[in-house]
Amino acid sequence: MGWIYLLLGGVFEIGWPLGMKLAQATGHRFLFLSVSVISMALSGYFLYMGQKTIPIGTAYVVCTGIGAVGTLLIGIFFFHDSAGLLRILSALLIITGIIGLKLAS
């Protein structure tokens, strides 16, 4: 169950930078800032729950790694951020590290 919590935490980890970006890009600043704060709280909660059965270092890296790669992909697909080869390879290294930590635990 700990891995499910970390997956959920990673999804909410994507939500808070996305909310901040949308707060800047739209006229609904307070709505999207509220989404960011709620996403931060939920991400922290699910990280807390995941750490009950998974070591702290592994849990934190998995949760933030999912958030980092997910945010990178949203930036590329929806905000036209650079999709350079080095950025994609770096994201693949993060994913490889997450998979490695899962296999090692």
Side-chain angles (χ1 to χ4, degrees):
M1 192 67 189
W3 290 99
I4 303 284
Y5 288 135
L6 292 182
L7 179 63
L8 289 169
V11 169
F12 284 108
E13 189 75 14
I14 296 167
W16 70 265
L18 177 60
M20 288 186 180
K21 180 68 174 178
L22 292 172
Q24 294 172 351
T26 69
H28 305 289
R29 177 173 296 160
F30 294 110
L31 170 68
F32 287 115
L33 287 176
S34 297
V35 168
S36 289
V37 170
I38 291 167
S39 291
M40 285 179 208
L42 289 171
S43 176
Y45 172 75
F46 286 119
L47 175 60
Y48 165 78
M49 294 300 290
Q51 288 178 357
K52 288 183 176 185
T53 58
I54 297 170
I56 184 174
T58 301
Y60 184 70
V61 169
V62 169
C63 188
T64 58
I66 291 169
V69 172
T71 303
L72 175 87
L73 293 174
I74 286 174
I76 290 171
F77 290 117
F78 296 104
F79 296 102
H80 310 293
D81 291 352
S82 169
L85 181 61
L86 187 56
R87 291 185 87 209
I88 300 301
L89 289 175
S90 298
L92 288 173
L93 286 172
I94 294 170
I95 293 167
T96 302
I98 291 169
I99 292 169
L101 287 170
K102 168 68 173 122
L103 294 174
S105 66

